[in-house]
Amino acid sequence: MYYKDLRDYLKVLEENGMLIRITNPINKDTELHPLVRLQYRGLPEEERKAFLFDNIYDCQDRRYSIPVVVGAMAASSHIYAIGLKRKVEEIPQTWIEAQVNPIDPVLVPSGPVQEVVHKGEELTKEGGGLEMFPIPISTPGFDNAPYITSGHWVTKDPETGKRNLGNYRGQVKSRNRLGCWAGRPQDISNHWRMCKERGVPLEAAVVIGVTPNVSYVAVSKVPYEQDELAVAGGLAGEPLELVKCKTVDLEVPANAEIVIEGEIPTDVVEPEGAFGEFTGYMGRRTITMFLNITCITHRRDPIYQAIISQFPPSESRKLVHIGSEAVMLKYLKVDCGLAGVQEVAMHEECAVWGYTVIQIKKKKPGDGDSKLVLDALENMDRFNGKMAIVVDEDINPKDPDAVNWALSFRMQPHRDVRITKVKGLHLDPSVMDPGELEKVTGPLGQLESSSLLIDATRKWPFPPVSLPKKEFMVRALELWEKEGLPELKLKEPWYGYSLGYWTEEEEEEAVLALQGKHYLTGERQASRKKKS
């Protein structure tokens, strides 16, 4: 069976040595996020862990009995895999199966998330409302407030009633008012505009502290027609249990830790930000929607969950990274029928936005297969990244060195590059001068941006890779280990192999060289002298 709730999952993380408990007092405003941030700037991914803080105070010396967990969803690919109860290499196929075979959620009469209910004056009294929770400041010294970073917002399409789940930042504005920043293409923004046309507010529920499958779909851009909670069921292999909210017509995970219910006005908006963003720069203040809170429910002893974002790599980028790769892989292989696509790699250090690499296995030499992939990307509604590069099956799409090698010697810009217009990301400071961006009054989605699509595959047979053949490198590894030399982390390619353009004579001459008979090659070449 899948994890029944967040605490069940945290227990497994701890048993696997993937959870660090911090019992010393920690200031949530000045110390918590900086401490976790250090592992993203000073440790390799495989050594990153989740952190659980249970002795928390704030800059006003207010003490909290509620613990905070950070990094539990995706501090690393290994943690993400534990969240799915799978091996790392099984994640892409698990995601494809969950999208192809989603499992609808089921409604239950009650759940732990509604053990404690706060309404009315409880939401505005001192220590009440959002003030109950130790919400950290993510970027101390730059952020203008604590922000909810793990808030999974549930809304419904006002026309169809179709449910949507998405993760958006929320500035804490008062005890009963929460900001909500979501870009124009986001589904919650579309729901808001539809409600605005009808002259009604948009009902919303913010879910915090869930099983990993729910977080994984909340940050991944699955097609609009799919219910993210059904895909979450597919990831878990069992239906997600939901309960009806107390004050809004929405359903939320019954075993969550905290749910914030309310209405988003559609007749007024207000400033929100600045906030440290995934691009590695501060997201500037913008005018956006906000939530008027009508009810907060939670478990008797809730755990507050935060997601660390900001400068890449980060937990939020790892969350988006794996799910987005899987969504694109399914789109190319299943929806577009491109069976030759082997792997999609969205580079975490580029914020899973600027740099995507698609590895393909061609049916035959040429550029037909790679052109089909580029065509599919141009028609993918939810792809609007900066660069997409198609590489051959012998190029590791996750290794920038290997990809840069392919870019240098397997493509020609005049022949193999396309530039296509996409929706602008206003958080990208290269799109427009930030000072000018603040003056934009129309929809931010109208900002002009573009994607660079590159075919970096071989178009014909190439000479062999200029490294010793595999058997010689394997022997060298044996000698290396025998000498007690430092542990190696080999990068592909680490041995030479043929790429189709190599004659029998050249192969024979290489064999002669290993037999010490290279003079025979010299004699052969001498017999072929020509006048210069």
Side-chain angles (χ1 to χ4, degrees):
M1 293 181 62
Y2 192 65
Y3 306 108
K4 65 177 184 289
D5 52 27
L6 176 64
R7 51 197 70 197
D8 184 28
Y9 167 61
L10 294 180
K11 186 186 303 180
V12 173
L13 279 186
E14 190 163 28
E15 290 169 354
N16 282 269
M18 290 290 108
L19 180 71
I20 297 173
R21 285 183 176 267
I22 304 295
T23 58
N24 288 322
I26 288 289
N27 188 316
K28 75 174 185 66
D29 297 325
T30 62
E31 297 175 338
L32 193 152
H33 268 273
L35 180 64
V36 180
R37 170 61 57 196
L38 286 175
Q39 72 174 343
Y40 290 94
R41 306 312 303 160
L43 290 178
E45 182 191 335
E46 58 270 19
E47 295 182 28
R48 298 180 201 156
K49 305 287 178 69
F51 283 72
L52 180 64
F53 302 88
D54 58 13
N55 190 349
I56 296 172
Y57 66 100
D58 65 15
C59 58
Q60 295 180 320
D61 204 31
R62 183 187 293 113
R63 303 285 163 163
Y64 296 85
S65 60
I66 298 173
V68 174
V69 65
V70 185
M73 296 293 112
S76 67
S77 297
H78 180 53
I79 287 179
Y80 193 108
I82 293 174
L84 285 179
K85 290 197 167 186
R86 295 288 189 273
K87 297 178 180 177
V88 171
E89 58 270 22
E90 295 172 341
I91 293 174
Q93 188 58 36
T94 301
W95 254 101
I96 289 176
E97 291 171 0
Q99 294 172 85
V100 175
N101 301 299
I103 300 175
D104 289 334
V106 295
L107 193 64
V108 296
S110 62
V113 74
Q114 294 178 340
E115 289 174 341
V116 181
V117 179
H118 303 274
K119 295 181 182 178
E121 293 181 359
E122 291 184 80
L123 300 176
T124 57
K125 69 179 183 181
E126 186 175 355
L130 295 177
E131 216 166 71
M132 292 185 288
F133 306 112
I135 303 170
I137 291 180
S138 296
T139 325
F142 294 102
D143 286 358
N144 65 346
Y147 281 74
I148 290 176
T149 55
S150 62
H152 302 334
W153 294 66
V154 180
T155 56
K156 284 184 179 178
D157 184 313
E159 287 184 2
T160 65
K162 178 193 168 297
R163 185 171 43 229
N164 179 258
L165 180 74
N167 193 85
Y168 314 109
R169 80 187 194 207
Q171 179 186 339
V172 176
K173 293 171 174 280
S174 75
R175 295 179 185 124
N176 65 343
R177 196 165 97 263
L178 181 66
C180 177
W181 189 91
R184 186 173 177 83
Q186 301 288 1
D187 294 333
I188 192 174
S189 298
N190 293 331
H191 291 176
W192 183 87
R193 284 189 292 273
M194 294 166 75
C195 285
K196 179 176 175 61
E197 291 173 359
R198 289 164 171 75
V200 297
L202 172 64
E203 293 186 325
V206 186
V207 185
I208 300 170
V210 293
T211 49
N213 59 325
V214 178
S215 282
Y216 295 167
V217 298
V219 301
S220 303
K221 295 185 182 300
V222 301
Y224 184 75
E225 60 273 11
Q226 278 199 304
D227 182 351
E228 283 90 349
L229 296 180
V231 177
L235 290 175
E238 60 186 47
L240 187 69
E241 292 186 345
L242 305 180
V243 291
K244 293 284 291 184
C245 287
K246 296 292 185 179
T247 59
V248 293
D249 183 23
L250 295 167
E251 304 81 36
V252 292
N255 293 318
E257 297 290 323
I258 302 164
V259 169
I260 302 165
E261 304 176 12
E263 292 184 340
I264 301 176
T266 55
D267 57 343
V268 289
V269 290
E270 64 184 31
E272 196 262 12
F275 177 74
E277 276 293 351
F278 69 88
T279 57
Y281 302 95
M282 291 299 297
R284 302 296 295 161
R285 180 173 297 165
T286 55
I287 302 296
T288 186
M289 54 190 158
F290 59 91
L291 179 77
N292 287 323
I293 299 171
T294 55
C295 180
I296 295 177
T297 71
H298 60 79
R299 299 175 75 128
R300 286 196 180 87
D301 297 302
I303 299 171
Y304 184 83
Q305 179 201 347
I307 292 174
I308 188 166
S309 186
Q310 293 74 57
F311 196 95
S314 68
E315 181 187 14
S316 75
R317 288 301 92 191
K318 179 59 68 177
L319 271 169
V320 175
H321 170 204
I322 296 177
S324 297
E325 285 180 347
V327 169
M328 182 179 285
L329 183 63
K330 183 256 184 184
Y331 166 76
L332 294 172
K333 285 182 74 75
V334 179
D335 300 345
C336 298
L338 300 174
V341 175
Q342 304 294 296
E343 188 173 358
V344 171
M346 295 181 173
H347 286 241
E348 183 187 3
E349 63 276 10
C350 299
V352 195
W353 175 267
Y355 195 77
T356 298
V357 186
I358 299 101
Q359 183 193 60
I360 67 170
K361 182 177 182 179
K362 291 185 176 181
K363 298 174 185 175
K364 58 182 180 180
D367 56 6
D369 293 340
S370 48
K371 282 183 176 178
L372 289 175
V373 173
L374 296 185
D375 290 343
L377 290 177
E378 281 196 282
N379 293 317
M380 185 178 181
D381 180 55
R382 298 200 173 201
F383 173 71
N384 52 356
K386 190 71 67 72
M387 288 179 285
I389 304 162
V390 183
V391 298
D392 295 296
E393 62 179 314
D394 67 314
I395 299 296
N396 181 355
K398 296 179 180 178
D399 180 2
D401 291 344
V403 177
N404 288 340
W405 177 53
L407 286 171
S408 298
F409 299 109
R410 297 190 181 186
M411 74 94 181
Q412 287 291 322
H414 73 279
R415 181 192 64 211
D416 300 321
V417 170
R418 304 182 192 180
I419 297 177
T420 183
K421 295 288 181 66
V422 296
K423 298 172 183 175
L425 173 68
H426 99 279
L427 294 173
D428 178 359
S430 71
V431 172
M432 180 183 286
D433 182 325
E436 295 299 314
L437 181 62
E438 292 180 356
K439 302 174 186 177
V440 174
T441 56
L444 291 174
Q446 293 178 355
L447 292 175
E448 184 177 69
S449 189
S450 55
S451 283
L452 185 66
L453 307 180
I454 304 174
D455 177 3
T457 62
R458 303 186 310 274
K459 315 305 185 296
W460 39 73
F462 271 36
V465 173
S466 56
L467 288 166
K469 280 190 173 181
K470 187 174 183 179
E471 61 262 36
F472 306 110
M473 293 301 289
V474 169
R475 172 57 180 159
L477 276 177
E478 294 171 354
L479 295 173
W480 183 278
E481 293 173 1
K482 184 178 178 180
E483 293 295 331
L485 296 172
E487 182 181 355
L488 295 169
K489 292 185 179 179
L490 294 172
K491 297 172 69 70
E492 297 174 358
W494 60 274
Y495 58 83
Y497 48 89
S498 176
L499 291 173
Y501 190 77
W502 194 240
T503 65
E504 290 184 6
E505 183 179 34
E506 288 168 320
E507 183 68 24
E508 176 191 348
E509 290 175 353
V511 172
L512 288 174
L514 296 175
Q515 296 172 347
K517 298 178 180 179
H518 48 282
Y519 291 151
L520 295 178
T521 300
E523 291 172 5
R524 179 186 296 167
Q525 291 174 342
S527 70
R528 298 174 181 173
K529 289 178 181 174
K530 295 180 180 180
K531 286 187 177 181
S532 60

